[in-house]
Structure formats: structure tokens, C-alpha cells
Amino acid sequence: MKLFSYKKTQKKNVKILYILPSHYDDDGYPYHFWKGLLPSNTLVCMRALTQKLINEKKLDEKFEVHVEIKDEFVQSIDVDKTVNESKKRNEILIVGLVGVQTNMFARASDLAIMFRKYQVPVIIGGFHVSGVMKLFGPDVPDLKFLMDNGVSLVCGEVEGDGVLATILNDAINNRLQPYYMIPKSPDIQDAPIPVADPEYLKHFMQPMCTIDTSRGCPFNCSFCTIINVQGRKIRCRSAEKILQVIEQNYDNGFFSYFFTDDNMSRSPIWKELFMGLIELKQKGKKIRFMMQIDTQSWKIPDFVRMASEAGCYLVFIGMESINPQNLVLMGKTQNKTSEYAEMVESWHRAGILVHVGYIVGMPCDTPQSIIHDVRLLKTEVKVDEASFFIMTPIPGSKDHKERLERGEKISDDCNHYDSCHETFPHPNFKIGELKKSWLKAWSLFYSKDNIIDILLRCPPEQYWNAFWLTLWNRYSTLLSNHPMSMGFLRKKRRKERRPTMEIESISAFLHRRMKDFINQVKVIMQVFYEYQEIWLLTRKQLKEKRESLASAYSYLQEIRTCLTQILQSNQYTQFVSQEYEQIIQKTNELLLQLSQTSGQMNRKIQRRLEQQLSGLKEQINSFKSCVPNIENLIRFDSLVKKKIICSYEEIMIKSVAHRRKINRWWIGLKHDLSIGRFRWKNMFYIPEVLFFEIFTGLRFAISAVRMK
């Protein structure tokens, strides 16, 4: 006889879906890529934090909760399909749009409204919502529109005790508040550290893990939102726990990291973390990483040395400007422009590459000053990589708030706040001129000559890191996109166009995609051929020749600097006895240096070079009697680069001479075909050309992929 009977209650399933939204291009299509560049730290942190709540049973136990993540930059977000799949599984769907920056806010809002049409609970958090709400409160029109449509907003970080559990339990039980204000920045000492996820990382070109070891920044830059969102007090994770996760990831095949701290050098645990990484290295578990730091970090005792020993291969530094006046006006007084070159050199001596963030459109900038500053970055400061950003008063920053209070005109389209668009009228630039100067800065820095110079002077052990970094930036520059928001092979879907724009017809969309495809192929081919020659000139195996070429490029930069100074002065005749003669002297020193170097390698090379240089010496000396006007200065620059340096390269490295000969053949063939002419003698060169292209192309591709 049964005294008691139990009826098992089946729990209802809940799926929490965290989405990192993309942002729209100027034609209204979200950015989607086959492969991305950098994974999202926010996504994996939110999943780890939610999973911890599930494991600790802090979510409503009447429900079976599981959590998923999607990165719209590299994964498809089909709202209808996502909702219908949840309905079929009879599960409650909750959507969290996380890590939303200002330029993502338009897309995040559109996705939120799409989900709300199905009555799906939607939560939005990130820097835009947090920054705006902290400075202006929740009654901003864009935020109020979302709340009126049932979207909940979260202002602040959710690692605090009970914060995320409260929000998610409210969502599960359909009692979400319009907004959640989290005034206090939480202690993250015991916050869960996400373990590498192979399923997520497979969507990226390099399986790089991300960890924020600390949050907050002690500085007071007026254009930055960090201090208003994460505070000026630095809070850090446990170094011991970070090292445990890093070792676990290594055992699973992941050894590359981006420490996403806004300023790793001010993290209280940097020394403990570096010592732990050095110990892992001694155990045969070598980790490589890049980090963000400030311009003064190189002065911290042992910081540079220990970073190098721990496995750092690249530092990102917010240099922002070379003009001291700009830095004072923007509150970045900790940056000392007079120390930039010494700072970069200190990192180079440690074998670490330097990537700087540089803002164009600061108060004292002009179209001319930007060109001048980029030249200084190349020739005097000698950074290895530069990312250029258009000055943007981001909502949540002091700069944005003050502009609004002064009643200044400012763009109301959040999609433009990506540091690639003009968002306010600059007194020193006409409309559209700042964007042109920004594009010019990219093209000047990532010119072929400067890329060669970077690769020749970088340490051999860092060659392939510098190679791929510059290649990516060159590829992005040619597509007129910012490398940090780019991926490889763009995808577009016709019906995903921004709601404020009309959906294109199938034929119009196919025409657009065909143009995109042709342009993409052109850029890939251009980069492939450019980097073939760059690789032939700079590869590590050249040894002494590589050092000689590096010295030649150093001379070239000095000569061009002198030429630029004369051109910018507009007073040519005053320089005949000084700068002009100095240029000629420098060029003669270059010829002597090249002649001596070639003699150390091969007598045949020396004889060929001496024959070439003897005629060039006469041409150089003939310039002494010329008036230093624009035409003669341009001729002189062409003589140095095209006759001296190029001749030296072709004499020293036969494969370079052959590559350029084939290039000239292709150009000639293209020209002949364009005018309807065909030379039969070209037929005899086709086998040689095809053999060279296949052999050299395969050799280059294999070396680049294997990084040998």
C-alpha cells in the first residue's frame, strides 16, 4: 500500500541569449564578416557570470536556465528564426544586448524592437547606455523610446553581489523594471574568468583569448568615457585565478591573449601576473600577449623588462597627438611629446612592437598639420603600427556633455560615433575635409615605403607579427574601413537594411554585391602582390642584406625629411647654402655607405653597384647648381628613391629585380590591350611569367602562413 505519491514537476526551460550587436555602414547594412579580428570580452564575461549564477542556483529554481552567446560581427542574428525555435522548444527566451557602444546603439535598438514585437524580454547594457544615463539620467529621448517599448536598460557593471541575479530573475518572471541603476563599481576580485571557447573563437582569424585583469583609469581625458562608466579607481581580478585559467587554456591549445584593461600598467597585479607568466614559460608553457598601456609606463621600474620576459609582443599606447597644445586642451597632460621617440625605443629594445592610437581633428589640428604629424610618427617616433581615429565627442564623455551644454551642433545619429565619421563642425576643416585628412593619414602611414621601413628595422623574432599587422592595416586602408572594426570577407543580407532606409530590389542588391565582390578581389590581389615584393625585400633570411637595406631606408627618411622642410617653408632660395647642401651631402653619404656594404658581401654585386652609382654621383652633384624650386626638389626625391634605392634593391636581391621586371611586363601588356594592340613577342614571355608567378606566389603564401 502506497502511503505517499510524488508528482514530478517538469521545469520550464529558459534560454538567456547574449548578443553583441554590430553597427551599420553608410549604406545601412550591418557589418558581418566570414572571419573577425578580435573576439568580444564582454560576451564571454557575461556568459561566465551567468553560468556561475546557474551553478550556484541563484536563479529561480522553478526554471531550467541555459545561456548562449552570439557575436553579430561574425554570426548571423535571425530574429524570426531565433524566436520560433524557442517557441518550438517551449522555452522562455530572454535577450541581452551587451557591450553596446555608441556606434552599435542604432543596431542594438533595432534588434531590441524586433524581439519586442514577439514580447521577448530584452535588456540593453554597455558603455553607451551607462555613459548617457550617468551624465544625463534615463530621460534621454533615445533611451525613453526603448523603455516605452518595454526594453529594460542597465547602467553600470553587473558583477556586484546579487545585481545580475536580480535582473535575470526579474526577466524570467516577466517583471523587468524600465531601468536598473547600479551606482557602485563592483569589486571584481572573485568575478568568474571566462575559459577559452573553441566554438566562439573559430569565427576569428586568430584564436585570441581576452581577459580584463582590471577596470578603471586614474587619468582624466575629456574625450574618454572610461572614467564616467568604470570610474577612476582601479579594481582588479585575482592574479592567481587569471593564471589558473591561462594555464588551463594553454593545455587546451590556446596561448595568445589580449589583456583588454584600459591601462594594464596601472593594474595593481601587473607584477604578480608577469611573474606567473614567466614561471609558466619556464615550465614550457609560453604565452604571448598584447596589452594597452599609457605613455609613461616605460618609466615604471622593471615593467618593460618583465613584460618582454612574460611574453608581450605588442603594446597599444594612447598617444593621441604629437601637438602638446592638443594634449593640454583635451586633458591628456600625462603625455609628454618630447619623450615619444625615447619611449618607443625603450619598447623596441625589449623586442616589443608599438601600436599607437592617434586622434585627428583635435582642436589645433589642420589638414597640413595632420600630414606633418604622420610624417613625424614615421620618421622620428618610428612606431610600428598606428590606428587613426577622427575626434569624436562620445556620449558619456565630458567633451560630449560640454558641447551639448554650449549648444554646439553635433550629429544625432549614433551610428556615426565610430571614430570614422565627422560628428561636429571643426573650425579648421571644411565639411568633409576632416574625413579626407583621416583617410590620408592611413594611406601615408601604410604606404609601401613605410611598411618596408617598419619590417626592416623590427627585430627578426617579431618580423611575422609586424608583417601580418601591417598587412591587415594596409588591406583595411584600401577598403577605406577601420582595421579594428573590420573582418575578412564582408557579408550582406538584403532584408537586414536599416529601417530608416528602403529595402533594395533583388537586382539592385545583386548589382551592389557584385561591385563589392569585384572591389574585394581587387584589393586582395593588390595586397598579395604588394606584400610579395615587400616580403622579398625584408624577409629574415636576408640577414646582412636586410641590415644594409634598413640603413639605406634610414638615410632615405632623413633625406626626405630635409626635402619636406624645404617644401613646407615656401622660401626655397634661402636654403641653398644650408638644407639643400645638407641633402646633397646626405645623399653622397648614402652612396658611400651602400658601396661599402655591398663590398662586404660580393665582388660581383660591388662592381655592378659601382657602375650604377658612378653615373648617379654626377647627377647628384649637378643639383648643386640648380635652383631649389619645387620641380627640382621633386626630381631629387625621385632620383634618390627610384634610381638609388631601387637600383640598390634590385642589384642586391635578384628576386626583387625579377619581380619588378614581371610587374613591368604586366603593366605593358595591360596598356597594349587597352589600346587594342597586341605584341606577338609577348607570347614568348608567357611561360616564364607564369612559372615565376606560380613559383613565387606559392613560395610567398606558404612562408606567410607558416611564418617561416
Side-chain angles (χ1 to χ4, degrees):
M1 177 179 176
K2 292 184 179 179
L3 296 175
F4 301 99
S5 64
Y6 295 95
K7 185 176 180 180
K8 189 174 180 180
T9 305
Q10 187 175 5
K11 292 183 178 181
K12 189 160 187 179
N13 288 328
V14 174
K15 178 166 85 171
I16 299 172
L17 175 62
Y18 291 121
I19 297 173
L20 179 76
S22 181
H23 62 104
Y24 296 111
D25 63 18
D26 290 340
D27 295 316
Y29 291 97
Y31 281 101
H32 301 308
F33 299 98
W34 175 59
K35 291 286 184 182
L37 179 63
L38 286 173
S40 166
N41 188 60
T42 303
L43 267 184
V44 291
C45 281
M46 287 300 299
R47 180 174 60 182
L49 189 58
T50 304
Q51 192 60 53
K52 182 183 179 186
L53 295 177
I54 295 169
N55 296 341
E56 294 176 351
K57 302 187 184 304
K58 291 187 177 180
L59 298 182
D60 195 324
E61 292 190 20
K62 296 194 298 289
F63 300 90
E64 189 73 35
V65 183
H66 67 283
V67 58
E68 294 181 13
I69 60 172
K70 279 202 172 182
D71 185 332
E72 197 185 14
F73 281 93
V74 291
Q75 293 171 287
S76 173
I77 307 293
D78 188 325
V79 174
D80 297 338
K81 183 179 177 183
T82 302
V83 173
N84 288 330
E85 284 178 350
S86 288
K87 284 181 178 178
K88 285 179 183 177
R89 289 194 291 265
N90 195 29
E91 67 183 7
I92 298 170
L93 174 65
I94 297 167
V95 172
L97 294 154
V98 300
V100 180
Q101 298 181 30
T102 299
N103 67 310
M104 303 173 182
F105 186 69
R107 177 61 178 167
S109 298
D110 293 338
L111 285 171
I113 297 302
M114 290 182 214
F115 278 111
R116 286 302 298 151
K117 286 179 180 177
Y118 290 99
Q119 301 301 307
V120 172
V122 179
I123 308 160
I124 299 183
F127 267 81
H128 179 76
V129 170
S130 298
V132 171
M133 289 182 74
K134 285 195 176 184
L135 290 184
F136 301 102
D139 294 328
V140 176
D142 285 350
L143 303 185
K144 197 168 186 311
F145 168 78
L146 288 171
M147 289 187 285
D148 289 344
N149 280 275
V151 179
S152 293
L153 307 177
V154 178
C155 171
E157 301 169 62
V158 296
E159 279 89 351
D161 188 31
V163 173
L164 184 59
T166 298
I167 296 170
L168 293 179
N169 279 320
D170 285 354
I172 291 169
N173 291 286
N174 201 26
R175 57 171 188 252
L176 275 172
Q177 303 299 307
Y179 62 88
Y180 295 84
M181 289 290 292
I182 307 163
K184 187 179 177 182
S185 295
D187 180 9
I188 58 171
Q189 180 78 11
D190 296 319
I193 300 163
V195 177
D197 176 6
E199 279 302 306
Y200 178 45
L201 293 177
K202 74 180 183 182
H203 295 288
F204 297 88
M205 290 180 288
Q206 182 184 1
M208 178 181 287
C209 306
T210 58
I211 295 178
D212 57 331
T213 77
S214 66
R215 294 181 195 165
C217 180
F219 299 116
N220 195 33
C221 309
S222 65
F223 54 81
C224 184
T225 61
I226 294 287
I227 53 177
N228 292 323
V229 176
Q230 295 185 341
R232 297 185 65 178
K233 181 182 177 182
I234 295 182
R235 299 156 287 125
C236 57
R237 296 182 185 272
S238 160
E240 183 182 358
K241 291 180 180 178
I242 292 171
L243 289 166
Q244 287 173 359
V245 169
I246 288 175
E247 187 165 13
Q248 182 182 344
N249 286 342
Y250 185 91
D251 293 338
N252 291 329
F254 298 97
F255 55 86
S256 187
Y257 286 85
F258 175 30
F259 293 129
T260 62
D261 308 42
D262 189 65
N263 193 340
M264 179 77 173
S265 60
R266 305 300 161 181
S267 172
I269 64 164
W270 71 261
K271 185 172 283 190
E272 187 181 353
L273 179 62
F274 287 175
M275 287 177 66
L277 292 174
I278 292 168
E279 289 174 8
L280 282 178
K281 185 178 178 181
Q282 291 168 349
K283 292 196 299 186
K285 298 181 178 183
K286 186 177 179 181
I287 304 300
R288 64 194 296 272
F289 66 91
M290 60 182 185
M291 60 180 176
Q292 300 181 111
I293 55 170
D294 63 65
T295 57
Q296 298 301 299
S297 59
W298 64 286
K299 296 179 181 178
I300 300 172
D302 295 328
F303 184 73
V304 176
R305 177 187 62 80
M306 290 187 70
S308 176
E309 291 177 9
C312 180
Y313 69 93
L314 180 140
V315 289
F316 180 89
I317 303 174
M319 186 175 284
E320 322 307 7
S321 180
I322 284 180
N323 187 331
Q325 274 185 292
N326 278 332
L327 297 171
V328 170
L329 290 170
M330 303 310 294
K332 192 112 182 175
T333 53
Q334 71 271 19
N335 283 17
K336 311 296 180 187
T337 57
S338 59
E339 299 175 347
Y340 281 172
E342 186 181 359
M343 171 196 70
V344 171
E345 180 56 29
S346 72
W347 287 106
H348 283 170
R349 283 196 300 270
I352 296 172
L353 301 173
V354 177
H355 178 181
V356 300
Y358 199 92
I359 298 174
V360 300
M362 279 194 163
C364 301
D365 283 347
T366 65
Q368 295 74 29
S369 74
I370 289 171
I371 293 172
H372 172 263
D373 291 351
V374 173
R375 181 182 62 77
L376 291 180
L377 278 178
K378 291 164 54 178
T379 61
E380 294 189 17
V381 183
K382 295 186 177 181
V383 299
D384 307 295
E385 189 180 5
S387 287
F388 299 96
F389 305 88
I390 295 176
M391 183 65 202
T392 306
I394 300 173
S397 68
K398 178 183 174 183
D399 188 26
H400 178 264
K401 187 172 186 291
E402 288 180 348
R403 286 178 187 275
L404 287 180
E405 290 171 347
R406 291 194 299 264
E408 294 184 16
K409 185 180 179 182
I410 191 168
S411 175
D412 57 2
D413 186 349
C414 287
N415 203 61
H416 288 165
Y417 287 78
D418 58 357
S419 299
C420 304
H421 289 83
E422 297 178 17
T423 53
F424 66 96
H426 196 296
N428 300 337
F429 296 83
K430 298 174 184 175
I431 294 175
E433 197 172 24
L434 182 54
K435 178 71 175 275
K436 288 180 181 177
S437 294
W438 174 74
L439 291 170
K440 182 72 173 174
W442 282 105
S443 62
L444 285 173
F445 190 87
Y446 292 101
S447 63
K448 185 179 172 185
D449 285 351
N450 194 47
I451 291 170
I452 291 171
D453 193 32
I454 290 168
L455 293 176
L456 285 172
R457 69 171 182 250
C458 78
E461 65 272 14
Q462 289 284 23
Y463 176 81
W464 285 109
N465 286 326
F467 182 93
W468 282 110
L469 288 168
T470 57
L471 185 148
W472 179 253
N473 285 291
R474 177 64 175 158
Y475 167 75
S476 303
T477 298
L478 291 171
L479 289 171
S480 299
N481 288 322
H482 201 290
M484 289 187 177
S485 60
M486 269 283 288
F488 185 63
L489 296 182
R490 176 81 185 273
K491 297 179 180 180
K492 288 182 184 177
R493 297 178 182 88
R494 186 173 68 92
K495 293 185 179 179
E496 280 189 338
R497 202 173 197 194
R498 197 174 182 180
T500 54
M501 296 181 175
E502 185 181 353
I503 293 179
E504 293 182 307
S505 66
I506 294 175
S507 59
F509 181 74
L510 288 176
H511 178 70
R512 176 189 294 280
R513 293 302 288 144
M514 184 57 67
K515 284 174 63 179
D516 289 344
F517 175 76
I518 292 170
N519 186 46
Q520 180 87 48
V521 170
K522 281 183 178 179
V523 168
I524 291 172
M525 294 305 295
Q526 181 178 341
V527 171
F528 181 79
Y529 278 103
E530 280 181 351
Y531 265 78
Q532 226 182 82
E533 185 176 326
I534 288 169
W535 170 70
L536 290 171
L537 273 170
T538 62
R539 62 193 192 278
K540 294 188 294 182
Q541 293 85 346
L542 293 175
K543 296 181 181 177
E544 295 89 353
K545 292 181 181 180
R546 191 168 177 269
E547 292 176 8
S548 175
L549 285 169
S551 178
Y553 267 80
S554 179
Y555 268 101
L556 175 64
Q557 295 285 19
E558 290 179 23
I559 292 165
R560 284 187 159 173
T561 298
C562 293
L563 284 168
T564 304
Q565 288 172 351
I566 297 176
L567 287 168
Q568 289 177 344
S569 71
N570 293 322
Q571 297 176 351
Y572 310 116
T573 54
Q574 295 181 12
F575 289 85
V576 174
S577 60
Q578 297 175 21
E579 280 81 354
Y580 197 53
E581 289 186 0
Q582 184 182 350
I583 292 170
I584 293 171
Q585 181 184 344
K586 276 280 179 193
T587 309
N588 281 318
E589 288 175 10
L590 170 61
L591 293 177
L592 179 63
Q593 187 260 343
L594 296 182
S595 178
Q596 290 174 342
T597 306
S598 63
Q600 297 169 9
M601 297 178 189
N602 187 297
R603 287 186 179 181
K604 186 177 179 181
I605 289 176
Q606 187 179 25
R607 284 197 300 270
R608 287 185 61 199
L609 193 62
E610 284 175 352
Q611 292 172 4
Q612 185 77 28
L613 297 184
S614 60
L616 291 172
K617 286 178 183 177
E618 294 179 9
Q619 290 185 51
I620 291 165
N621 291 326
S622 70
F623 273 87
K624 288 182 180 179
S625 59
C626 294
V627 177
N629 54 29
I630 294 178
E631 291 78 14
N632 285 331
L633 291 172
I634 292 172
R635 280 176 53 221
F636 194 88
D637 179 65
S638 179
L639 171 70
V640 174
K641 177 65 181 83
K642 294 183 179 177
K643 291 290 183 66
I644 299 176
I645 301 295
C646 286
S647 295
Y648 183 63
E649 290 169 342
E650 291 178 12
I651 291 169
M652 292 285 283
I653 308 167
K654 288 183 179 180
S655 55
V656 171
H658 206 169
R659 172 73 268 171
R660 290 175 179 169
K661 178 184 173 184
I662 298 295
N663 289 347
R664 289 191 290 270
W665 183 87
W666 281 115
I667 292 169
L669 179 64
K670 183 179 177 182
H671 175 263
D672 286 347
L673 293 176
S674 68
I675 61 175
R677 181 174 63 186
F678 181 76
R679 300 174 189 268
W680 284 101
K681 66 177 183 179
N682 284 331
M683 295 292 293
F684 298 105
Y685 291 107
I686 290 176
E688 179 188 348
V689 168
L690 291 178
F691 176 79
F692 178 85
E693 294 291 11
I694 294 169
F695 176 77
T696 307
L698 285 174
R699 182 182 166 210
F700 165 63
I702 292 169
S703 295
V705 171
R706 295 180 62 202
M707 294 194 287
K708 296 290 185 180

